Amino acid sequence: MTWFKRLLQTLGLPAAPTRLPAEAIEADLLPLIETLADEENTTVEHMAYELLYSAALQRRTDLHNLRQWQELTPREQQTAAFVCLGCTNQQIAGLMVISPNTVKTHIRSIYAKFSVNSKAELQQALAGWDFRAWLNEQNVRSPDDPPGGLTPRG
């Protein structure tokens, strides 16, 4: 039995369905895990467990954030994108052609849906998302575009 299969069995997880044989995965991953274990002065088994646990938590967090994003209204999504791009409430109001109070209302709703308390926490939750590309796909003006409110692109 390979170490990967033993790890899954120890964790009470079913065998991973894959098109690659476990031995091929082991051949690719084992040297990397061994190197990490050496660098952190721990066992290969412990490192594999930590990596698997960390990946599972990250996957769960990513799925949660995606679900929360899908719960936002289109205008809340735009607001969240601008927040994550570092815009101030005043800038967001100008870009979206809405009042600063409406921006604050959107932000409060976004915070509640994501269970965060600040722009920094929202930015951290959605770190790595490409909001400039998303705004472009939505035909929404981004903060770097020339002034003039929300204008369709192209």
Side-chain angles (χ1 to χ4, degrees):
M1 180 180 290
T2 67
W3 73 269
F4 187 68
K5 287 181 181 176
R6 283 193 310 271
L7 174 64
L8 292 174
Q9 184 179 35
T10 301
L11 296 174
L13 299 172
T18 179
R19 293 180 185 204
L20 292 174
E23 292 76 21
I25 295 170
E26 186 172 304
D28 289 342
L29 291 178
L30 187 56
L32 177 59
I33 294 171
E34 288 172 336
T35 300
L36 290 170
D38 284 344
E39 288 173 357
E40 295 192 24
N41 198 26
T42 190
T43 66
V44 171
E45 291 79 11
H46 183 75
M47 179 56 60
Y49 173 81
E50 282 192 17
L51 290 170
L52 187 58
Y53 185 78
S54 175
L57 285 178
Q58 185 61 52
R59 182 71 169 262
R60 185 173 71 182
T61 299
D62 291 345
L63 287 172
H64 170 78
N65 288 338
L66 178 59
R67 286 186 191 113
Q68 297 316 110
W69 175 262
Q70 293 168 338
E71 292 291 319
L72 299 178
T73 67
R75 295 298 268 177
E76 288 171 345
Q77 288 178 344
Q78 290 173 6
T79 304
F82 290 134
V83 166
C84 289
L85 289 171
C87 295
T88 65
N89 290 4
Q90 200 67 30
Q91 290 169 324
I92 295 168
L95 288 162
M96 294 178 65
V97 192
I98 58 177
S99 77
N101 285 334
T102 302
V103 172
K104 289 178 187 177
T105 299
H106 288 326
I107 289 174
R108 278 193 302 272
S109 177
I110 294 163
Y111 287 178
K113 290 176 182 178
F114 276 90
S115 300
V116 298
N117 297 308
S118 69
K119 288 181 177 182
E121 287 181 26
L122 181 65
Q123 289 167 340
Q124 184 177 8
L126 301 179
W129 291 33
D130 187 352
F131 288 106
R132 290 191 194 286
W134 180 83
L135 288 167
N136 190 41
E137 289 172 11
Q138 303 298 311
N139 291 319
V140 174
R141 188 167 76 84
S142 76
D144 297 335
D145 290 343
L150 276 177
T151 56
R153 293 179 177 263

